[in-house]
Amino acid sequence: MSQISNVYDVPDTAAMECRVSGRIALQQATVEIHHYRFRGPQGGVFRSRRGFLDLALSPRPGAPQGAYLAIAGSVPRPLGDIIFIPANQELETEWGEGDQTSVCCGFDRVDVDGEGSILDSAALEASLDVRNAHVRDALQRLAREIENPGLCSALLAEAIWTELAIELHRHLMRPREVSPGSLSRLSTMQLRRIDEMIDQPGRLPTITELARLCDVSTRHFFRIFRASTGCTLAGYATEKRIDRAKQLLSAPRPAVKEVAWRCGFETPAAFSAAFRRSVGLTPKEFRQSRQH
């Protein structure tokens, strides 16, 4: 059954339709499931009297992007599947034609936009693509509770919302490295985080996972990673893991197959092939050369 949204004032135009299929009214927030239909390309300035948090449960149509008018010189940034817009902030947006479903939260006062927690420019821009697994999980759980309410749904939803508000606050208010070159190259801290993930045993992390770790889009990460390291992720990771393997092979133990696992190769054969291409020796030959 269609309802009028209590999250924000949805414009009633021929170009846009919004149907609200479910709602939970909490003490500090209203959470709704929205079904949008956009007829043709869309654009305009979004401004809500309440804080607004949105998780797209289906792809956002077109190539959505936005820029806060309060940030001087700001250029449009791609909108992620989770966006947060503080109350009374003006966001100039544009997106494409199509259908979309979202779980949307509207709230009057939460730490992330309350007194003493004003977001700086870096945090505002990060709010257009909130890459946080805890925030995502909480929004998905709220959506499920609306669609399939169970015992004590309101009580459970209140607890989920409290957790969500805390995680969102921590994510947006944490220290961020911002410098003139930060948009074109990875920072020292970001490179250290990438190295830590690459050094973990097991499969190589994907570009998507590393982009989320660095709080940038996958497309942007691909560009700045190459600009920062001079090579592809696969080439960089292989070089790092071969260097790690050399260190381990300089001692009599562990066994070559254990070295392969520790350095993230799926099989000893794959490790031996990669090591020989890089070093010119098999792992066994390299170890023997270090013993003499």
Side-chain angles (χ1 to χ4, degrees):
M1 180 176 177
S2 185
Q3 306 177 46
I4 298 174
S5 176
N6 288 339
V7 169
Y8 72 102
D9 298 326
V10 180
D12 184 12
T13 68
M16 171 182 169
E17 174 187 334
C18 176
R19 179 172 59 88
V20 181
S21 63
R23 171 186 301 139
I24 292 181
L26 308 175
Q27 292 182 8
Q28 295 183 329
T30 302
V31 187
E32 298 174 343
I33 303 294
H34 287 189
H35 303 277
Y36 298 100
R37 172 157 293 177
F38 304 114
R39 300 182 179 90
Q42 307 286 313
V45 176
F46 179 93
R47 182 177 183 273
S48 175
R49 55 186 171 79
R50 312 180 77 191
F52 177 76
L53 181 65
D54 174 292
L55 165 64
L57 299 173
S58 63
R60 300 188 190 278
Q65 57 182 0
Y68 282 107
L69 299 183
I71 304 176
S74 178
V75 297
R77 294 170 59 92
L79 301 183
D81 54 353
I82 303 177
I83 59 174
F84 166 66
I85 305 174
N88 299 314
Q89 282 284 352
E90 293 185 326
L91 179 69
E92 189 170 19
T93 60
E94 59 181 54
W95 62 98
E97 178 179 12
D99 296 338
Q100 181 204 321
T101 299
S102 287
V103 53
C104 304
C105 307
F107 43 90
D108 297 317
R109 173 69 186 274
V110 176
D111 285 343
V112 289
D113 69 335
E115 295 178 4
S117 295
I118 304 301
L119 301 183
D120 61 18
S121 296
L124 270 179
E125 291 194 332
S127 73
L128 299 180
D129 188 3
V130 178
R131 296 169 177 268
N132 184 286
H134 300 294
V135 172
R136 180 185 306 277
D137 178 67
L139 287 167
Q140 290 173 336
R141 290 166 63 198
L142 286 172
R144 290 196 296 268
E145 206 59 39
I146 292 174
E147 294 171 335
N148 299 289
L151 178 66
C152 300
S153 278
L155 183 61
L156 178 58
E158 288 282 5
I160 296 172
W161 171 256
T162 300
E163 177 188 354
L164 170 58
I166 293 171
E167 293 293 351
L168 181 62
H169 179 270
R170 288 179 173 180
H171 177 78
L172 293 176
M173 300 302 293
R174 76 178 190 269
R176 299 174 187 274
E177 292 189 4
V178 180
S179 64
S182 63
L183 296 179
S184 59
R185 289 183 179 275
L186 293 164
S187 68
T188 302
M189 180 181 295
Q190 288 171 325
L191 284 170
R192 184 165 63 248
R193 290 173 179 169
I194 290 169
D195 286 346
E196 288 172 354
M197 283 196 71
I198 290 174
D199 286 343
Q200 295 298 313
R203 67 172 179 81
L204 183 68
T206 66
I207 289 180
T208 300
E209 290 169 337
L210 293 176
R212 185 177 297 118
L213 179 73
C214 296
D215 287 322
V216 297
S217 69
T218 300
R219 182 170 56 183
H220 187 53
F221 177 83
F222 182 83
R223 292 196 300 266
I224 61 176
F225 184 87
R226 187 144 197 166
S228 302
T229 65
C231 56
T232 64
L233 174 61
Y236 180 84
T238 298
E239 184 177 338
K240 291 282 295 180
R241 290 180 165 187
I242 292 297
D243 286 343
R244 171 65 173 153
K246 288 179 181 178
Q247 295 175 9
L248 293 172
L249 290 169
S250 295
R253 294 184 178 278
V256 170
K257 64 180 180 180
E258 185 175 341
V259 173
W261 178 80
R262 287 193 191 182
C263 294
F265 291 89
E266 293 184 1
T267 65
F271 167 57
S272 293
F275 193 91
R276 184 164 192 167
R277 282 195 301 269
S278 177
V279 181
L281 299 171
T282 66
K284 183 177 180 180
E285 290 169 343
F286 179 85
R287 171 169 274 170
Q288 289 173 341
S289 71
R290 290 303 177 98
Q291 305 305 311
H292 299 289

